[in-house]
Amino acid sequence: MFEGKVAVADVVLNRVEYEQFPDTVKDVIYQKNAFEPVQNGSFNEQASNEAVQAVETATSQWIFSREVVKKIGNHAFAI
């Protein structure tokens, strides 16, 4: 689901900004036990067009137009 991919991209970007996590996207993604696709190896497959678009959406102003439905620490989850 596209919205889920955007949410995961947002989580990664939020973690980069939060002092309790690594400072780079790569280090956040490869942090031990952080993301199942890294653990099961599917992360190394070529990204789909939808996955690329989700990352681009997560870095755009579109995400700020969504309704926040839950906050956990500094992470906001929107629909």
Side-chain angles (χ1 to χ4, degrees), residues 3-58:
E3 291 85 6
K5 290 175 181 169
V6 172
V8 171
D10 277 334
V11 166
V12 171
L13 295 172
N14 284 338
R15 287 183 180 189
V16 169
E17 297 298 319
Y18 194 65
E19 65 184 42
Q20 291 182 315
F21 291 95
D23 293 332
T24 68
V25 170
K26 181 179 178 181
D27 289 343
V28 166
I29 290 170
Y30 284 102
Q31 189 173 21
K32 187 175 181 174
N33 299 323
F35 296 97
E36 184 178 347
V38 174
Q39 292 175 331
N40 68 25
S42 65
F43 179 77
N44 296 317
E45 298 173 7
Q46 184 170 347
S48 68
N49 288 338
E50 184 178 70
V52 172
Q53 184 181 11
V55 170
E56 290 171 352
T57 300

